[in-house]
């Protein structure tokens, strides 16, 4: 008898709500960096804040999608369901 080969497990994707939580935390960190840069008058602290904004955009465009149909969700306002297929966003 041959052993059953297990199918490779799919990589875990973030849900839109998890992505939103990560973006929120990164936004707070970037704003703290900007405020620190203003307080100590250091332009060098703006570079990490800018990089965090780029990371937030990448997360937004990669994970802010409907889990059912894969279409992008609206970027503004609260989203409770996909406007394309009507699936609930958890």
């Amino acid at each position: 008898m041959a052993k059953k080969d297990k199918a490779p497990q799919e990589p875990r994707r973030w849900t839109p709500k998890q992505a939103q939580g990560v973006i929120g935390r990164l936004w707070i960190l970037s704003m703290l960096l900007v405020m620190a840069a203003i307080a100590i008058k250091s332009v060098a602290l703006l570079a990490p804040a800018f990089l965090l904004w780029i990371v937030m955009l990448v997360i937004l465009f990669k994970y802010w999608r409907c889990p059912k149909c894969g279409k992008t969700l609206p970027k503004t306002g609260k989203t409770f369901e996909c406007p394309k297929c009507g699936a609930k966003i958890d």
Side-chain angles (χ1 to χ4, degrees), residues 13 16 60-73 75 82-87 89:
R13 286 185 53 92
L60 179 70
F61 285 106
K62 183 170 173 108
Y63 294 107
W64 192 243
R65 298 182 171 276
C66 173
K68 185 175 179 185
C69 68
K71 302 287 183 187
T72 58
L73 296 170
K75 307 284 190 275
C82 176
K84 308 282 193 283
C85 71
I89 305 300

Side-chain angles (χ1 to χ4, degrees), residues 7-72:
Q9 189 177 11
E10 289 186 30
R12 184 173 174 265
R13 286 185 53 92
W14 287 344
T15 64
K17 296 295 180 181
Q18 288 172 327
Q20 190 177 33
V22 171
I23 289 172
R25 289 179 187 100
L26 291 176
W27 183 81
I28 290 170
L29 182 59
S30 69
M31 289 299 110
L32 289 173
L33 284 170
V34 169
M35 288 188 292
I38 291 170
I40 63 173
K41 296 180 176 121
S42 171
V43 179
L45 286 177
L46 293 178
F50 182 72
L51 288 174
L52 284 174
W53 293 333
I54 291 173
V55 168
M56 287 186 284
L57 283 173
V58 168
I59 292 171
L60 179 70
F61 285 106
K62 183 170 173 108
Y63 294 107
W64 192 243
R65 298 182 171 276
C66 173
K68 185 175 179 185
C69 68
K71 302 287 183 187
T72 58

